[in-house]
Amino acid sequence: MPNDETVSRAAWTPIDWGRAGENEYTRRLSRVLLKWTRYANEQYADWPDRENCGHFFGGSYWYGIESAYTAAVFAAVGTMPEYDEAVTGMPQQEVRSKAIRAIRYLGFTHDTGPEECVRVEGPNPHCSRKKWGGRGDSFFRASQTGTVVHAMACAAWLLHDELDEETKRLMESVLEYYADCYSAMKPGTGVYFDTQCEENGWTSSGIGAAAALLPHHPRGGAWRQAALRWARNSVTTPGDNVKRTGGVSTITFHPDYTTENHAFVHPSYMMAGISLRGLYALLEMMAGSPVPEQLTVGNVPMYERTIKLWSYTDGIPVPIQGQDWWYNLHHASMMCHAFIHVLHGNPDAAALERTALEFVENLQISNTRGCLLEQNGEACIVTEGHQTAKEMEFGCAHSVLIAYLLHRFGGAGTEPSGESDLSEAVNGVHYYPYGSSIVHRTDASFSAFSWRNHVMAITLPRNGVWSVTPAYSSFIGEVEFEGEQSGVAYNETTPVECDEQHLHRFSDGFGAVAELQRGKGGKLLQRIGFVSLPDGRSFYAERVRIQRPCKIKRLSTGLIGIRNERYSALPGYADGSKTLAVPGGTKQFEGYYGQDPDIVESFGPVPYINVNGEIGYVVIGSDNVTYWNRHQYAKWKGVEDVLTLNTRSGLLFDGPAELPVFAVLALPNASAELTRESANATRLLSARMDDCIVAETDAYMIFVNLSGRRTEYRVTAARAGSSVQLFEGEQRVDAGHVVRTGTVEAGYAGYAASRFRLELPESLPDSFHLTVTVSGARVYVTNEARSVSNCTVTDTGSSGLRREVSLEGLCTSVFTFDR
């Protein structure tokens, strides 16, 4: 008999294998895991310091995560009923054996293992030749081992019958250590800068692993209550805290269910509130036990109000305030959707999970090695010295694993929503007053504006972030002053706050006006307006005022991130090149990550530019349009070029000055030809442009009042052709011009739709002069001339009615267009 030091001291809960089953999801997900196992096996190495031990991916990454996550994948693959040796390249028993070797390596090198057993040497000085487990670390680092403990436990549990007593004892020591460390602690509270939902979630997963595997342990009951308490406090709002129900003692989300990490609203970390505590829920499912409500409460309102509404073409929620990680986060997003799908029976989540899974599969198919992110991930630097895309692989594989186990033990779930039902659920305008953002979705576009944390505006076409990236300072741009260190402190390269903003929410769009002081001491005042139109187009306008003498090295506004990836299995999304069309020709730019020099192309002050037939931009008042075709990156997120629609440099100002209006109309999903036509139909209307910007484009008149006062406008434009758009209010039409009048409230940004068109004869006398007033469904036409005037008024809405107009001189007619 083994001695007391090697005998398992508490019975482990058995896995309810009778609940496990195969379905479409498990088969698709298992195929991904099988392919990845072959890749991960290349990263395996034996560890000679103790018998039957080994590690993955170098063995000395943060928290032991590299070997724990991979061991969990290998354990699951090792128990797959439909294992395919031809895919993994090794017998299933070898897969299980390597999982066990990694469990033992982690057990010996943990803080509870022998003092002489430390991790292998590696590039990360915080981990190389050191133990893991958190002893001596801050709570943030120490508690972060919770998901490692969970993954290690999951691997050991799946392979329980093949573990020797020493390995079981090593595992139990790790579980006891983590659960005892944090069971008596109170969960953290925090919403701004770095939410505590993540820390509370991962702590619940570590304690929950101990409670789930060792429920008969003398402290098992206390561990369970602690894990549930940490979990319940992962997704909490001020209202939950006031009610104090169910053990809530924290606030981790704003009342609008946004929260912040790394100092901005960050969907990746918002999803952590669902997924991290969901790890404990998964273990309860595997044991055949009901899932306690503390592990799911708050999931649905947060998901429904944020994550679902932001999830776009590829199933990833759009990072509405930018992204500081890599863009291909399909694996983690798929896992989050899977939790909502399986635990809550949500058909919209089922549809989004399927979408994300399709991209997960195609990304892997594009990589011949079976990896999930980049074919040559070692070359893609995330953090200089010890983080590359390769080190992100095991986290992605772990997300796929969790989705696989959810469906293996939770079934195929519910029927996914159809495309039209999902569109109806997510389209519209969504306002986040605490997250300082507003979002407008249509079937084929996504626009958002943020006025805090990262001040930026984005408009995405149908292909989403595969076409246009949510780069920091999107549209707002970057300023670089001579003799002043650039940074976020003075709203320069990455503006983080507005001095003032006004928001106008409509049922089918929104408008925003904001003021930003930029540069130390407010050298430059940037006044901006952003309008999202009902049809998915958007309009950006700015006026820059120099307030103090300064020398500006670079002033680049109208900044747009352009994704330029190459993945062979994602045609139409990642073809590896972008074709830019401008008046007079096209130019193609290859996208890749490498050491070749970057290319910067200058197009001059062109009136429009189209990117690959995916999105077009009508440009007004630009000094120079440039395209930065990047190949070298300080930090890898993906292959991302930069289009700047107004590039200015070498500006010297001896005193106050005002720069001309710069404006952009964005046209998602537009061809080059459509962009050219739109440029011909779009114009700023002449007015007191320093106060109120009025623009006309096809079907809309757009207003941006940058002043602090109510403004009456009278705008005049040369009449273009025989067709004149009619808007609510008064317009005067003569032989050569159109004059529009009206009032715009202070700080207003918005639009008026054209419901009617006035069709004129090809040839008009100089005396021709009509005043047309639109009031709802009525159109009043007054002939100001003394001679007879003929025209046609057409309802461009659903009725399509036409009224032929023949007016005697100095006469008024009224036409009613009831729908």
Side-chain angles (χ1 to χ4, degrees), residues 351-426:
L352 290 167
E353 181 189 3
R354 279 178 179 260
T355 298
L357 173 55
E358 183 178 347
F359 278 83
V360 166
E361 292 168 328
N362 286 322
L363 283 169
Q364 187 181 45
I365 290 169
S366 301
N367 295 319
T368 59
R369 301 172 67 189
C371 51
L372 296 171
L373 290 173
E374 291 286 342
Q375 176 79 2
N376 299 304
E378 300 88 345
C380 301
I381 307 299
V382 178
T383 303
E384 188 66 42
H386 61 271
Q387 277 187 322
T388 68
K390 178 180 175 182
E391 278 72 45
M392 306 300 113
E393 282 283 335
F394 34 84
C396 294
H398 180 255
S399 295
V400 177
L401 165 71
I402 298 304
Y404 166 78
L405 292 175
L406 276 169
H407 285 291
R408 189 171 177 185
F409 288 90
T414 190
E415 187 69 22
S417 297
E419 186 176 343
S420 61
D421 290 336
L422 182 59
S423 291
E424 184 178 350
V426 300

Side-chain angles (χ1 to χ4, degrees), residues 478-481 493 552-556 559 647-650:
E478 301 176 345
V479 188
E480 188 177 354
F481 294 92
T493 56
I552 299 175
K553 184 177 180 180
R554 178 175 61 93
L555 175 55
S556 301
L559 185 151
T647 301
R648 290 168 288 196
S649 59

